Amino acid sequence: MEKEFVVIGLGRFGGSIVRELNALDMDVMAIDTSEARVNEYADIATHAVIADTTDETVLKSLGIRNFDHVIVAIGENIQASILTTLILKDLGVKKVTAKAQNDYHAKVLSKIGADIVVHPERDMGRRIAHNVASASVLDYLELSDEHSIVEIQAGAQLRNNTILELDIRANYGLNIIAIKRGKEITVSPDPNEMILDGDILIMIGHDKDINRFEKKIVNE
Ligand code: ATP
């Protein structure tokens, strides 16, 4: 069966989720207290509803429990975001993703049962910082507070060595999970694989080890 989504809060973040789900041919109900915002999404969402989601009876009357996944994209009004998330979990919605405005907001959302907490501004900021700090870091994906995946352009000091010779696991505690070479991707590369000019290494590890490795390749 097709998955059904609800997006609450049609700012830039919530709005872009609605647009993307629509482009993926998914059913999505869009909710906002603002009539103007709801009108903007009337032709994009499957249903667009003007409603205040801090009112439990409103959520019940929309049959919110029957949806697979509800995304709370209310940002600035932290109280409304927390109350909405609490009611959704109280009503038994299985999966709730909520957007956090700051670290305390994120903690509260996790404590009251949000299944996924996203912090888009902070995460994108971190990603860009890593990207601009080193020309070799092409992408950066946070897995938890301490672990990430990075995409690193193999610099001169890495090229023409095998993975075994570089021994990045012993020296930095990082694992190379894949090598991108042109359009080809080798997942779990053999330790005897030679790193070549233009290779992109996809590595996983602890942030402090990644930072140490990034510093080394920037300084050399
Ligand atoms: P973004 O950073 O995504 O652009 P924004 O700053 O434009 O967000 P926010 O304050 O984060 O706006 O809120 C997003 C939307 O959530 C707004 O359109 C607002 O009307 C809506 N909203 C706020 N409170 C509620 C509520 N209680 N019920 C439903 N929608 C709400």
Side-chain angles (χ1 to χ4, degrees):
M1 237 176 46
E2 284 273 300
K3 278 201 161 193
E4 293 202 357
F5 298 91
V6 178
V7 175
I8 300 172
L10 303 172
R12 284 160 300 177
F13 180 68
S16 82
I17 297 175
V18 173
R19 284 178 199 282
E20 210 56 35
L21 286 173
N22 173 60
L24 294 168
D25 278 333
M26 300 279 183
D27 279 335
V28 53
M29 184 198 276
I31 306 177
D32 203 293
T33 42
S34 148
E35 184 177 357
R37 290 243 161 122
V38 170
N39 286 341
E40 206 183 309
Y41 288 89
D43 295 333
I44 302 163
T46 320
H47 301 286
V49 181
I50 305 167
D52 182 346
T53 55
T54 59
D55 186 341
E56 185 173 342
T57 43
V58 168
L59 287 178
K60 272 190 188 158
S61 70
L62 290 170
I64 206 83
R65 274 197 62 177
N66 302 324
F67 289 87
D68 299 296
H69 193 160
V70 179
I71 295 134
V72 183
I74 303 169
E76 240 162 69
N77 188 343
I78 292 181
Q79 191 178 329
S81 149
I82 292 171
L83 203 48
T84 298
T85 305
L86 190 66
I87 297 170
L88 291 170
K89 289 313 289 184
D90 262 3
L91 291 176
V93 174
K94 277 203 195 72
K95 200 160 184 191
V96 175
T97 292
K99 171 186 150 166
Q101 198 74 354
N102 56 51
D103 289 345
Y104 289 112
H105 187 194
K107 268 192 190 158
V108 174
L109 291 170
S110 297
K111 283 239 158 79
I112 61 173
D115 301 279
I116 302 169
V117 177
V118 291
H119 205 325
E121 282 92 356
R122 183 199 62 187
D123 295 348
M124 191 47 94
R126 285 188 183 170
R127 228 165 138 173
I128 289 176
H130 280 265
N131 201 250
V132 296
S134 158
S136 308
V137 177
L138 305 176
D139 208 349
Y140 174 89
L141 178 72
E142 204 174 76
L143 296 177
S144 72
D145 283 349
E146 295 188 334
H147 294 87
S148 305
I149 292 180
V150 276
E151 258 191 31
I152 287 183
Q153 181 89 52
Q157 68 279 32
L158 302 180
R159 275 177 233 145
N160 302 323
N161 288 293
T162 65
I163 293 177
L164 200 62
E165 282 163 351
L166 291 169
D167 213 359
I168 291 171
R169 190 181 294 170
N171 292 329
Y172 292 92
L174 302 175
N175 277 302
I176 298 177
I177 50 178
I179 298 179
K180 270 194 202 173
R181 188 166 292 156
K183 284 188 176 158
E184 275 188 23
I185 296 192
T186 309
V187 179
S188 304
D190 190 275
N192 295 312
E193 183 80 34
M194 183 78 83
I195 311 285
L196 303 177
D197 193 19
D199 278 0
I200 292 167
L201 310 181
I202 302 168
M203 310 204 312
I204 188 168
H206 197 287
D207 288 340
K208 71 173 169 35
D209 295 326
I210 291 175
N211 287 344
R212 218 157 39 94
F213 186 71
E214 278 179 25
K215 279 201 188 109
K216 178 190 159 71
I217 56 173
V218 169
N219 291 338
E220 280 185 13

